[in-house]
């Protein structure tokens, strides 16, 4: 075989091997990425093992609020465990689920059939890799603000159907406040929830008003009224061109017509 042809064959063979190696590497990276994202599954409550140390002590009030939220909406964010079933993140959620099982067994059975709890399993042993365990815990403990407005509105609708009310300040005795309950459920501040729901309401109101022809007509007439008044103020300063003189003569009548139309709309409640 001539030397040049043998060299070309070797180059082609080497390129094929390199492409194969790159493809295999991509597949391994994709597999690892999927493992890192965690595998969602169900696990019996009694099989979930508590971690030995907690960076945050449990707050009884928060546990109580979470239990009420889970009773109404279910567990929105699954617990995070390692491959030995040791809890990595979700200490308050686990305590709330346990609280629910003890104090509201009917709601527990409704959301956790056969005692099975949604979990996300991370592919490592927290005992062997405590640094990674801490990273997961800290990442999960950060405020979660990645819910879309549609998702938040749907959750709010479910709470409204359960007699949760949008109230300001401290709720009255026996009253269920929607904002704080939703904030606890998705791990954000009450202020953030109210801001999102307030935007939805303002957008809806604005849309309804702008689709009302009487409202739109009144807005346009007000703009015309302001423009005519400004033109009136300029009458003394304008030069005496013929076109301007004609306009000046008609301005008062136009302004009266606009103001009469506005009063008529006002009487109609527009």
């Amino acid at each position: 075989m001539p030397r040049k042809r043998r060299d070309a064959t070797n180059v082609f063979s080497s390129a094929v091997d390199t492409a194969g190696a790159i493809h295999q590497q991509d597949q391994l990276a994709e597999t690892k990425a999927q493992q890192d994202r965690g595998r969602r599954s169900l696990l019996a409550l009694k099989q979930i093992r508590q971690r030995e140390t907690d960076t945050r002590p449990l707050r009884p009030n928060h546990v109580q609020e979470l239990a009420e939220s889970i009773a109404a909406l279910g567990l929105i964010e699954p617990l995070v465990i390692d491959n030995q079933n040791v809890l990595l993140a979700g200490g308050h959620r686990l305590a709330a689920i346990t609280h629910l099982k003890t104090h509201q067994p009917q709601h527990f059975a409704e959301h956790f059939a056969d005692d099975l709890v949604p979990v996300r399993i991370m592919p490592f042993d927290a005992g062997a890799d405590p640094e990674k365990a801490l990273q997961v815990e800290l990442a999960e403990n950060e405020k979660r603000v990645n819910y879309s407005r549609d998702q938040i509105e749907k959750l709010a609708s479910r709470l409204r159907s359960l007699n949760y009310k949008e109230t300001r300040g401290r709720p009255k005795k026996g009253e269920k406040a929607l904002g704080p309950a939703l904030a606890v459920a998705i791990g954000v501040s009450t202020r953030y929830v109210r801001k999102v729901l307030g935007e939805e309401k303002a957008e809806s109101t604005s849309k309804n008003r702008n689709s009302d022809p009487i409202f739109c007509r009144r807005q346009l007439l007000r703009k015309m009224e302001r423009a005519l008044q400004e033109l009136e103020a300029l009458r003394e300063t304008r030069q005496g061109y013929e076109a301007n003189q004609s306009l000046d003569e008609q301005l008062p009548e136009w302004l009266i017509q606009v103001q009469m139309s506005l009063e008529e709309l006002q009487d109609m409640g527009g």
Side-chain angles (χ1 to χ4, degrees):
M1 180 182 295
R3 182 181 179 81
K4 287 186 177 178
R5 186 172 181 181
R6 188 166 59 245
D7 288 347
T9 301
N10 291 338
V11 169
F12 178 75
S13 177
S14 176
V16 170
D17 290 344
T18 301
I22 291 173
H23 178 66
Q24 187 177 11
Q25 200 169 31
D26 288 345
Q27 284 188 319
L28 288 173
E30 176 62 23
T31 301
K32 186 175 183 308
Q34 289 179 356
Q35 289 175 341
D36 288 346
R37 283 196 289 271
R39 181 165 54 88
R40 287 177 178 252
S41 185
L42 295 171
L43 192 67
L45 181 59
K46 64 182 179 183
Q47 289 183 282
I48 300 172
R49 298 162 56 195
Q50 292 281 3
R51 53 194 169 197
E52 294 182 0
T53 57
D54 263 316
T55 53
R56 293 191 310 170
L58 290 179
R59 290 178 287 132
N61 286 344
H62 191 49
V63 171
Q64 178 73 35
E65 291 171 348
L66 267 177
E68 291 175 5
S69 166
I70 293 170
L73 299 173
L75 185 66
I76 295 176
E77 287 290 330
L79 305 175
V80 184
I81 62 175
D82 73 354
N83 58 14
Q84 302 299 312
N85 298 342
V86 174
L87 183 71
L88 296 176
H92 279 92
R93 278 169 276 165
L94 179 58
I97 294 169
T98 305
H99 179 91
L100 197 66
K101 183 177 183 179
T102 303
H103 299 281
Q104 300 184 55
Q106 72 282 8
H107 286 305
F108 177 84
E110 178 186 344
H111 295 295
F112 306 105
D114 299 326
D115 271 17
L116 294 175
V117 176
V119 295
R120 190 161 62 239
I121 305 171
M122 304 304 288
F124 65 88
D125 179 351
D129 198 341
E131 185 177 349
K132 187 177 285 187
L134 180 60
Q135 288 173 350
V136 172
E137 181 186 344
L138 294 177
E140 287 285 320
N141 285 339
E142 289 179 357
K143 293 291 185 187
R144 297 182 292 277
V145 293
N146 54 341
Y147 287 85
S148 68
R149 288 202 322 181
D150 284 347
Q151 290 170 324
I152 292 176
E153 183 56 34
K154 285 177 182 175
L155 289 171
S157 295
R158 288 173 59 186
L159 286 174
R160 290 189 192 102
S161 71
L162 296 170
N163 294 323
Y164 280 78
K165 308 290 184 188
E166 289 170 270
T167 59
R168 286 284 179 184
R170 186 185 294 275
K172 299 174 184 174
K173 186 177 181 181
E175 192 174 55
K176 297 177 179 179
L178 186 145
L182 189 50
V184 167
I186 61 177
V188 299
S189 68
T190 303
R191 183 178 180 185
Y192 177 77
V193 168
R194 285 178 174 149
K195 178 174 180 289
V196 173
L197 296 181
E199 286 174 355
E200 290 279 343
K201 190 178 292 183
E203 189 176 272
S204 173
T205 302
S206 174
K207 186 177 179 181
N208 291 338
R209 298 188 75 186
N210 286 330
S211 62
D212 180 354
I214 294 179
F215 174 79
C216 293
R217 185 179 178 84
R218 188 175 64 176
Q219 294 296 100
L220 289 172
L221 287 172
R222 288 202 183 284
K223 288 181 182 176
M224 291 173 65
E225 183 185 31
R226 286 195 293 271
L228 290 172
Q229 288 172 340
E230 289 175 8
L231 279 173
E232 278 272 274
L234 292 173
R235 286 178 65 179
E236 302 299 328
T237 63
R238 281 187 295 203
Q239 299 295 323
Y241 295 113
E242 186 175 343
N244 275 332
Q245 287 177 350
S246 176
L247 176 65
D248 288 345
E249 290 171 1
Q250 297 180 54
L251 272 178
E253 187 177 347
W254 289 353
L255 185 56
I256 291 171
Q257 285 292 327
V258 168
Q259 290 171 337
M260 287 174 63
S261 296
L262 279 169
E263 289 173 4
E264 187 178 355
L265 287 176
Q266 190 69 32
D267 293 340
M268 292 170 60

